[in-house]
Amino acid sequence: MADRPDQLIRTGPDLELRQLKLLVAIAEAGSVPAAAAALGTTPAKLAARIRRLERMIGAALLAAEPAGKLFTETGELLLEHAAVVVPQFDRMLSAARAGLDRPAAQIRIGSVPTPVLPRLIREVGRRNPGAELAVRTGESAAELAEALLRDELDLGVLRQDAVRERPALEWVSIATEPLVVGIPHRHPLGVPDSLTPAALSGQRCVALDQPRTRALLAAFADAGADPRLCYAETEWAALCLGYGAGILSVTALPTTPMPDTSYRPLHCAATNSTLVLAWTGGSLAGCVPRVRAAMTRAHAEHLRALTTA
């Protein structure tokens, strides 16, 4: 077979990396028998694979008399390239495997109870594909703000009073949120179009035992209202107590409304609060405007659907 270096890799697209590795193995071992032993095959099988490669190339690759030179001129030229390509491919493969073993980026989210938390998770996930999302709830806004400052969280849905005294936090408002009154089916109060603190005077009500309740009590006092109050420690407990006892519940927007219950906003500026999205900088700052816009829309839709049913 003629030795034609100018026609090297005549059918290049059909050439495979594993074939180049055969030449490298023979060069490193010093002979076909030694390379076959290193590759776990027989000299005859290895020689046959080399002959197939020679037919693809259109030239002999191994010298006819290996006692002298191991490779032909074409073989030497192909080996020169293979000695570069094979290690590069191995490094690329190692890097790819290392990337698979590397933990995925994680975005840590903390939130006070709010029906717009699912929208936040969806929007952050859409804008950070491949990231793992960890969600932390069940803590007060103040506790979540401190977690942000300790770099335990990347984003937080908090109340404005929790971020106002923490200048290291960046934040944007999502919505101004009223307290809502849950009215069980057939309650004597009925379902008025508008509710004020004065309208609750004399009514049995369950409220959350939280800082926001102090503003509610002050609003009752200012209105000369005297509701019969009991307290619950969580939103869910307040909703269940109101529904189960057939009394009014006064809470933030419920994440899971009770059945057979109508909800109306409490018209009282003093008891309103501002829901905010807070962070401490970093790579997530760029997605904040769109995430915030989506949450604002979701909040308005939820409030309207809840209080007009």
Side-chain angles (χ1 to χ4, degrees):
M1 189 179 290
D3 187 4
R4 296 175 292 177
D6 59 315
Q7 294 185 13
L8 183 65
I9 316 182
R10 183 178 59 191
T11 54
D14 297 324
L15 188 63
E16 296 180 1
L17 184 71
R18 58 189 177 87
Q19 294 171 311
L20 296 180
K21 287 185 174 183
L22 298 180
L23 292 184
V24 173
I26 293 171
E28 290 177 346
S31 68
V32 170
L39 294 172
T41 187
T42 65
K45 289 181 179 180
L46 179 55
R49 293 170 70 182
I50 293 297
R51 285 195 295 273
R52 285 196 295 270
L53 179 58
E54 289 176 333
R55 287 194 294 271
M56 287 178 55
I57 298 301
L61 301 176
L62 295 180
E65 299 180 2
K69 198 167 62 166
L70 187 57
F71 294 98
T72 64
E73 183 180 352
T74 300
E76 291 284 359
L77 181 59
L78 185 59
L79 178 64
E80 180 182 342
H81 291 282
V84 174
V85 172
V86 170
Q88 284 181 338
F89 182 85
D90 288 341
R91 287 193 295 271
M92 179 186 71
L93 192 59
S94 297
R97 287 171 175 163
L100 291 174
D101 295 336
R102 190 181 305 123
Q106 187 179 70
I107 299 175
R108 303 158 300 172
I109 299 170
S111 178
V112 296
T114 173
V116 296
L117 177 58
R119 180 63 66 90
L120 168 64
I121 294 170
R122 186 172 72 182
E123 294 299 326
V124 171
R126 283 177 54 193
R127 287 164 176 77
N128 298 273
E132 293 181 356
L133 302 182
V135 181
R136 180 168 162 178
T137 60
E139 297 172 79
S140 69
E143 290 170 329
L144 293 174
E146 288 301 319
L148 279 167
L149 293 173
R150 291 193 299 268
D151 195 31
E152 296 173 4
L153 294 173
D154 302 299
L155 283 175
V157 182
L158 315 175
R159 302 285 172 188
Q160 188 180 47
D161 54 2
V163 299
R164 189 179 286 118
E165 302 301 323
R166 295 173 171 85
L169 291 180
E170 298 183 65
W171 57 273
V172 291
S173 63
I174 297 170
T176 298
E177 186 174 276
L179 291 175
V180 295
V181 180
I183 308 169
H185 184 55
R186 295 181 179 175
H187 189 277
L189 181 64
V191 186
D193 292 333
S194 180
L195 272 177
T196 63
L200 303 184
S201 187
Q203 301 288 342
R204 293 180 63 203
C205 303
V206 56
L208 287 180
D209 186 10
Q210 61 176 11
R212 200 172 175 189
T213 307
R214 291 195 289 269
L216 178 63
L217 296 177
F220 284 140
D222 291 342
D226 187 21
R228 297 156 58 195
L229 291 174
C230 60
Y231 298 95
E233 292 186 356
T234 66
E235 176 199 274
W236 182 243
L239 294 173
C240 290
L241 180 56
Y243 174 74
I247 63 177
L248 304 177
S249 56
V250 185
T251 66
L253 295 189
T255 53
T256 308
M258 287 287 110
D260 298 321
T261 303
S262 299
Y263 292 90
R264 293 295 179 266
L266 184 65
H267 291 285
C268 177
T271 61
N272 290 347
S273 71
T274 301
L275 197 66
V276 304
L277 183 63
W279 70 99
T280 55
S283 60
L284 290 180
C287 74
V288 164
R290 293 195 177 189
V291 171
R292 180 246 189 149
M295 294 181 69
T296 298
R297 288 194 302 271
H299 190 280
E301 292 165 2
H302 183 84
L303 178 61
R304 182 168 56 252
L306 180 74
T307 57
T308 56

